[in-house]
Amino acid sequence: MNLDEIRHKIDKIDRELLVLLQERMSLAIRSKKFKSSVVDVDREEVVLSRAERMNLALVPGSFSRRLLRTIIEESRRLQQEDRPLVAFQGEPGAYSEVACRHLMPGAAFIPCMEFIDVFQGVQEGYLDLGVVPVENSLEGAVTQVNDLLTTTDLKVIGEVRVAVNHCLLATEPMDLRDLRVVYSHPQALAQCQRFLLQHKLEPRPYYDTAGAAKMLARENPRAAAAIASKLCGELYDMEIIAEGIADGTANSTRFLLLSRQAYAGRGDKTSIIFATAHQAGRLFNVLRLFAEADINLTRIASMPLRTDPGNYSFFLDFEGDMQDANVADVFAQLEKMAIVFKCLGSYPADRTGI
């Protein structure tokens, strides 16, 4: 083993340590919801004593204790800041976190394994807010999220549309010609197929774009890269080898901000879910209500109704607030016509498109 190889291994360990530290801080912030006080002296002493007892030849117990003491003090500081906990599905650096950072700058962003974890965490009060993708410009509706929206009591209080800008990331600067394999979510690999073929790169599916970047940062395999967001490059100290590598440019995802309480002000966009009897003209009659009230629809989508698979739930977004006179009048008529009707909330429409 030569000096370069030793340093390569050290770099890998340093990245892994920092990624693990980020995970620990995230868990520490979440723990506040389950405690009566930030400081728990007995618990801290258990952690410190355990570290001190570990028989590590090159890491004296006294150093382990000092190191963990510093980490615990930083955990305390983060908990005392009392940041809102904003949940998203995926690993840190996912496009969902990009949306979180735009919608709730300065919050603590909490990754969750599944969409249901985001909904349940917010509903039960362990998390303050949730950010979920509802539709993609290329792939269409995010079915699982739409399904959860039909059963949740949570309210939509904001939205943002995030441009999906795929980047090729590596752990160190390198020439494209030195790369052999690329890891990412199958959807991202498919969207960058032309780039991969052009540069003779072998695509290797991974469960998540940000997860692929995280794996690369921790394991540091040679001649490998990941397709993920630019944010992943910043979080995991990775080099952007190429940016904007998707085959098409018009790729964006719309995200919703979920809360237990409705938006406090007046919104200029509203989302509803409804179902009508499976009879000719029923859907047309509902849509005619909006047309006659001069209400502009911005989205309509459908999916099978859980309780009646032969029928459909319809997701409708439109311009206006549910307190507007024309909207209230449409709602009054719609409640009589629909077999299911739910207003997810009125909220500020996204005008930025990041």
Side-chain angles (χ1 to χ4, degrees):
M1 185 179 292
N2 59 36
L3 181 59
D4 286 343
E5 290 172 333
I6 290 173
R7 286 176 172 170
H8 183 77
K9 287 181 177 291
I10 289 174
D11 290 346
K12 172 185 173 181
I13 292 170
D14 286 346
R15 286 194 187 92
E16 187 165 354
L17 283 171
L18 291 172
V19 169
L20 289 171
L21 187 57
Q22 167 76 10
E23 291 180 12
R24 191 192 193 284
M25 292 302 182
S26 175
L27 291 169
I29 290 176
R30 293 189 68 175
S31 72
K32 184 182 176 183
K33 293 284 187 179
F34 301 88
K35 301 190 298 184
S36 58
S37 172
V38 168
V39 180
D40 186 341
V41 176
D42 292 339
R43 163 64 181 169
E44 290 176 4
E45 183 55 37
V46 168
V47 173
L48 295 172
S49 297
R50 184 172 57 233
E52 200 168 20
R53 288 195 306 269
M54 291 179 68
N55 187 19
L56 303 174
L58 299 179
V59 185
S62 58
F63 173 74
S64 298
R65 188 179 182 94
R66 290 198 308 274
L67 180 62
L68 274 178
R69 169 61 68 188
T70 300
I71 292 172
I72 288 171
E73 289 173 354
E74 180 63 14
S75 297
R76 281 187 189 177
R77 186 190 67 78
L78 288 172
Q79 291 178 62
Q80 289 167 345
E81 283 183 352
D82 202 26
R83 301 186 194 187
L85 305 186
V86 182
F88 65 94
Q89 186 275 329
E91 296 283 0
Y95 286 103
S96 291
E97 185 177 352
V98 177
C100 288
R101 288 173 176 241
H102 178 80
L103 288 164
M104 292 294 298
F109 310 117
I110 308 299
C112 297
M113 284 296 295
E114 305 290 345
F115 290 124
I116 185 65
D117 299 328
V118 175
F119 279 81
Q120 287 182 346
V122 177
Q123 186 71 60
E124 295 171 7
Y126 303 131
L127 299 164
D128 298 310
L129 301 166
V131 172
V132 292
V134 69
E135 60 177 334
N136 176 266
S137 58
L138 299 180
E139 309 297 335
V142 181
T143 306
Q144 191 178 357
V145 171
N146 281 269
D147 188 33
L148 289 166
L149 286 172
T150 65
T151 58
T152 187
D153 293 325
L154 299 179
K155 298 298 182 183
V156 179
I157 63 169
E159 67 164 2
V160 66
R161 184 170 288 276
V162 175
V164 178
N165 178 26
H166 290 315
C167 299
L168 188 69
L169 305 177
T171 57
E172 57 189 5
M174 61 175 60
D175 194 293
L176 263 172
R177 292 169 293 187
D178 296 328
L179 291 172
R180 296 292 178 267
V181 298
V182 176
Y183 296 88
S184 196
H185 188 277
Q187 200 173 85
L189 292 172
Q191 292 170 356
C192 303
Q193 186 177 29
R194 190 181 308 146
F195 177 88
L196 297 175
L197 287 172
Q198 179 185 348
H199 296 283
K200 298 180 174 60
L201 297 171
E202 177 192 341
R204 291 194 184 173
Y206 209 74
Y207 71 91
D208 182 53
T209 54
K214 179 179 176 181
M215 178 276 293
L216 223 67
R218 293 177 69 167
E219 299 183 12
N220 203 9
R222 291 195 180 276
I227 293 175
S229 69
K230 189 175 183 179
L231 177 60
C232 280
E234 298 169 3
L235 291 180
Y236 300 118
D237 188 30
M238 301 181 75
E239 297 290 333
I240 298 178
I241 307 302
E243 191 172 355
I245 63 174
D247 297 342
T249 56
N251 187 4
S252 63
T253 301
R254 178 171 168 247
F255 293 86
L256 301 180
L257 179 62
L258 304 177
S259 172
R260 290 183 296 280
Q261 291 82 36
Y263 180 64
R266 289 183 65 83
D268 46 18
K269 194 170 188 178
T270 301
S271 296
I272 65 171
I273 301 173
F274 70 90
T276 64
H278 192 44
Q279 297 174 1
R282 287 299 183 98
L283 176 59
F284 170 78
N285 289 335
V286 169
L287 297 179
R288 186 168 60 184
L289 292 177
F290 289 90
E292 291 176 347
D294 197 27
I295 297 173
N296 184 41
L297 305 183
T298 59
R299 179 202 181 211
I300 182 168
S302 65
M303 65 179 297
L305 192 62
R306 270 176 175 262
T307 55
D308 181 9
N311 208 342
Y312 286 82
S313 291
F314 293 93
F315 297 77
L316 213 64
D317 296 339
F318 58 86
E319 295 176 353
D321 186 273
M322 57 186 173
Q323 298 181 47
D324 295 342
N326 60 338
V327 174
D329 183 56
V330 167
F331 279 10
Q333 297 179 69
L334 180 53
E335 286 179 336
K336 298 175 183 177
M337 300 168 62
I339 57 176
V340 174
F341 174 70
K342 173 163 57 171
C343 180
L344 294 173
S346 297
Y347 49 91
D350 176 35
R351 307 295 185 190
T352 59
I354 60 172

